[in-house]
Amino acid sequence: MSLQVAFQHRYPGTSLDVRFEAPQGITALFGPSGVGKTSVINVVAGLLRPDQGRIALGDRLFFDHAARVDLPTRKRRVGYVFQDHRLFPHMTVLQNLTYGRRAQRLPVQAADIDPVVQMLGLAQLLQRMPEALSGGETQRVAIGRALLAEPELLLLDEPLAALDQARRQEIMPYLERLRDQAAMPMLYVSHSVSEVARLATTVVAMKDGRVARVGPVAEVFADPVAADALGDAAMGAILSARVVAQHADGLTELAAAGGTLWLPYPDVGAQRNVTVRVRAQDVMLSLTRPSGISALNVLEGRIRKLHRREAGGVMVQLQCGNAHLLARITGRSAAAMALSEGDQVFAVVKTVAVAEAEVFGR
Amino acid sequence: MSAFADFLEPEGWQAVILSLKVSFWATLLSLPLAVWVGYVLARGQFWGKQLLNGLVHLPLILPPVVTGYVLLVVFGRRAPLGTWLEEVFGLVLAFRWTGAALAAAVMAFPLMVRAIRLAVENTEPGLEAAAATLGASKPFIFVTVTLPLILPGILTGAILGFAKAVGEFGATITFVSSIPGETQTLPSAIYAALQVPGGEGQAARLVIMSLVLALGALIISEVLAHRMARKRTAR
């Protein structure tokens, strides 16, 4: 079952024109703040009525301007996790969790809600009031409340944005479990590349109220042309890798798709599969195999695509083994090195440039 | 005890009890309508919203005598609506305590609506949207989310309305006059006592009674509001 979204909507001074399809798994709506990501999921939820368009989940029509169909929110069966959680302040956690089931006259026996309570680790919180919860707990309850209403589609609006780094790390595993267990499309609004890289399978990159790019996450963020829409800082290769060994000097050896990588993370378990993100701005290029430098990670590759940015600078996509690496270099360097597609080059990745949060356990 | 009973003359106690009865029914019967109008004015988007708003607030800005006159014209025994009510329900308003209740309700209504409207505006509309995404119908959302959250506002509105109803004078005396035992409420009784030579003592004691009533209502509302706040933060 997939979600089809196609609509236009005008606001005073701005407009939205959005068209994409979200398959099962997590589809990230990615883009800077104010680009209209939340409006998109509000349209899907029926909280905002667009001027034109058609929204359907599988064969269930949510909205069709031409056919004058506009299914009310309560009949769409969409679970919505709001950025500001919106737990009912006058109800206990348990009453919040069962609200959707009571509203829909679904059974509220312990057996019906236990799986979700277990998965989200809520057993200790059930009798508390929302204001007595921490930020991370609040967001877990909000996720549980949405799930227990038995939705056929889950909408998550920056569920981690209001949390600090430690709380994010606390929620992430629950979201990953959800992605792997729930057989429904999920729309995940985010402006964080590391969240998107870790959680999403498909990304819908938005810019100025339009869809700039749709595709598999690793493909979109390593596409040099996508830099025009997504911005340089977001760009980079997302590589799956396996931990080979932890060395005595504190370095971890990874077998990545493009070659061997050395990272200073002593606490990554051996033989685990991880995803690493190598940002385009952290990759240097060399025509010869560099020697006498401090960087440990040197990958050999061939230039697959060169993209000269209007803003200056060049995005270079490399084929390293079966992986695509992305490097951002200056236009002057590209000219001096006389780079062209097909050339053999060496990519130098600064070890320290790979941040802790960008190594994800899978 | 008898000293307490002797505090007022029998007509005085009659006025106190009548005032309580009139204000109680005026508040109780207009409260549901006030909740509905307050909610609609806060959340609704419809043609004529400003018209409704103006209509509700009219008794607040009109001279009370004018409101009483309008009531007399509309609900008097010879007026169409008054005749209809008498024929169909056997309900007579003019110069009866029921009419005093109606006048008090009309005068108290804007205050109740204002308090409730404010409470609705202060609740996060996002909570109602969240309830809708969970599959709740509009009536279910109103009863389970909106109503519990605006309860303090409803209480404030009710107390304000009750206090206003106890003190109502102009519209009441215009519409139902000041008949001892039937329509002579506390303010009318004070006014009547002041018209009689040597009635100053009775008037002063009635004034003290209205002070006690007003303070009592205020204390009850404070206690209830405090209890509600405690319930919310419990556990």
Side-chain angles (χ1 to χ4, degrees):
Chain A
M1 191 164 54
S2 75
L3 171 74
Q4 292 125 42
V5 178
F7 72 89
Q8 288 98 47
H9 188 67
R10 294 187 70 81
Y11 291 104
T14 175
S15 70
L16 281 170
D17 188 349
V18 176
R19 183 181 295 269
F20 66 90
E21 186 165 335
Q24 226 157 75
I26 296 185
T27 298
L29 281 173
F30 175 81
S33 307
V35 79
K37 306 187 292 292
T38 300
S39 299
V40 172
I41 57 173
N42 281 341
V43 165
V44 173
L47 298 177
L48 173 66
R49 181 186 305 186
D51 297 336
Q52 303 272 330
R54 185 177 184 280
I55 316 283
L57 178 65
D59 54 4
R60 287 208 303 133
L61 194 57
F62 282 4
F63 179 84
D64 191 332
H65 180 78
R68 291 171 170 271
V69 174
D70 186 7
L71 201 63
T73 298
R74 68 189 172 92
K75 292 190 176 155
R76 295 194 181 194
R77 305 185 69 86
V78 294
Y80 196 145
V81 179
F82 297 88
Q83 186 173 352
D84 52 352
H85 69 75
R86 299 193 189 173
L87 294 183
F88 305 121
H90 57 298
M91 298 182 196
T92 63
V93 167
L94 183 63
Q95 288 168 330
N96 266 284
L97 287 173
T98 55
Y99 186 86
R101 304 189 73 87
R102 286 184 281 130
Q104 299 176 54
R105 297 168 191 274
L106 295 169
V108 286
Q109 306 300 315
D112 303 308
I113 62 170
D114 267 358
V116 170
V117 169
Q118 295 304 324
M119 185 187 76
L120 293 166
L122 302 174
Q124 306 300 313
L125 311 174
L126 295 178
Q127 297 310 319
R128 294 228 207 122
M129 296 305 278
E131 66 171 19
L133 300 176
S134 74
E137 290 167 344
T138 301
Q139 216 46 284
R140 265 151 57 202
V141 174
I143 293 169
R145 182 179 70 170
L147 287 178
L148 282 169
E150 300 197 348
E152 293 175 356
L153 167 74
L154 199 58
L155 307 171
L156 300 119
D157 187 8
E158 308 231 21
L160 306 180
L163 306 178
D164 60 37
Q165 191 58 38
R167 294 288 149 268
R168 282 179 205 190
Q169 295 304 324
E170 172 196 323
I171 303 278
M172 282 274 199
Y174 294 113
L175 292 174
E176 286 175 317
R177 220 177 295 169
L178 197 61
R179 173 195 61 199
D180 301 336
Q181 288 176 4
M184 60 179 157
M186 297 159 76
L187 277 187
Y188 187 100
V189 168
S190 179
H191 64 260
S192 153
V193 188
S194 61
E195 271 174 46
V196 172
R198 177 164 171 179
L199 294 171
T201 36
T202 308
V203 61
V204 175
M206 290 185 63
K207 194 193 182 193
D208 303 330
R210 308 276 180 279
V211 173
R213 190 68 207 274
V214 186
V217 173
E219 202 176 283
V220 169
F221 284 110
D223 178 354
V225 181
D228 296 342
L230 277 59
D232 284 2
M235 303 305 295
I238 293 157
L239 306 173
S240 47
R242 191 171 49 78
V243 179
V244 175
Q246 312 259 339
H247 292 273
D249 56 0
L251 288 181
T252 300
E253 184 182 349
L254 297 177
T260 300
L261 288 173
W262 299 85
L263 304 181
Y265 299 113
D267 55 348
V268 182
Q271 298 310 318
R272 274 183 67 195
N273 289 319
V274 296
T275 304
V276 293
R277 190 158 81 90
V278 180
R279 292 192 294 178
Q281 61 200 37
D282 293 333
V283 178
M284 291 188 292
L285 294 183
S286 170
L287 288 171
T288 56
R289 179 175 285 279
S291 62
I293 60 169
S294 64
L296 288 168
N297 298 307
V298 178
L299 302 173
E300 189 177 348
R302 195 173 287 281
I303 296 180
R304 208 171 160 263
K305 224 189 258 177
L306 271 174
H307 178 63
R308 275 169 228 290
R309 307 281 319 280
E310 257 174 52
V314 179
M315 279 286 175
V316 185
Q317 191 190 43
L318 307 178
Q319 182 84 42
C320 297
N322 55 7
H324 293 159
L325 212 60
L326 199 64
R328 185 198 180 282
I329 60 174
T330 61
R332 184 183 291 191
S333 301
M337 293 165 79
L339 294 179
S340 61
E341 286 167 8
D343 287 359
Q344 185 85 6
V345 291
F346 294 88
V348 180
V349 181
K350 287 188 284 178
T351 307
V352 290
V354 187
E356 170 110 48
E358 327 269 62
V359 186
F360 317 125
R362 273 273 165 93
Chain B
M1 190 62 213
S2 77
F4 178 66
D6 288 345
F7 182 68
L8 292 177
E9 287 161 27
E11 301 91 76
W13 283 115
Q14 235 171 24
V16 169
I17 288 160
L18 183 70
S19 264
L20 288 175
K21 182 165 94 172
V22 162
S23 306
F24 174 79
W25 287 108
T27 311
L28 193 74
L29 293 182
S30 56
L31 196 59
L33 188 64
V35 170
W36 184 72
V37 171
Y39 180 79
V40 159
L41 285 178
R43 288 279 196 267
Q45 298 283 337
F46 56 94
W47 187 90
K49 185 171 156 175
Q50 283 318 309
L51 198 72
L52 177 66
N53 193 30
L55 205 67
V56 165
H57 283 90
L58 217 51
L60 206 61
I61 47 171
L62 277 180
V65 181
V66 173
T67 305
Y69 171 79
V70 170
L71 286 174
L72 202 54
V73 167
V74 176
F75 291 103
R77 294 194 81 158
R78 301 233 175 80
L81 204 54
T83 321
W84 182 79
L85 278 176
E86 187 173 355
E87 277 171 9
V88 178
F89 297 104
L91 183 68
V92 179
L93 294 168
F95 305 106
R96 299 285 170 84
W97 77 268
T98 44
L102 177 67
V106 167
M107 294 303 289
F109 197 65
L111 293 174
M112 293 162 69
V113 168
R114 277 185 88 83
I116 292 160
R117 176 185 183 166
L118 225 87
V120 176
E121 281 169 350
N122 279 335
T123 59
E124 167 64 64
L127 291 175
E128 288 155 8
T133 66
L134 293 165
S137 64
K138 282 212 165 96
F140 190 83
I141 294 172
F142 183 77
V143 172
T144 55
V145 177
T146 317
L147 207 55
L149 290 176
I150 64 170
L151 212 53
I154 294 176
L155 182 72
T156 308
I159 297 293
L160 264 172
F162 184 82
K164 173 76 190 171
V166 172
E168 217 305 300
F169 176 67
T172 308
I173 206 160
T174 311
F175 183 34
V176 295
S177 184
S178 175
I179 306 160
E182 182 66 40
T183 64
Q184 194 177 74
T185 58
L186 205 42
S188 317
I190 294 171
Y191 180 77
L194 285 174
Q195 302 307 303
V196 184
E200 291 87 355
Q202 171 78 346
R205 287 191 291 275
L206 285 169
V207 165
I208 291 170
M209 273 318 287
S210 27
L211 211 72
V212 169
L213 283 186
L215 280 175
L218 194 68
I219 289 168
I220 290 170
S221 83
E222 286 296 318
V223 168
L224 286 178
H226 187 68
R227 225 181 253 177
M228 269 185 226
R230 252 217 334 245
K231 204 170 149 198
R232 178 85 71 83
T233 55
R235 277 175 279 199

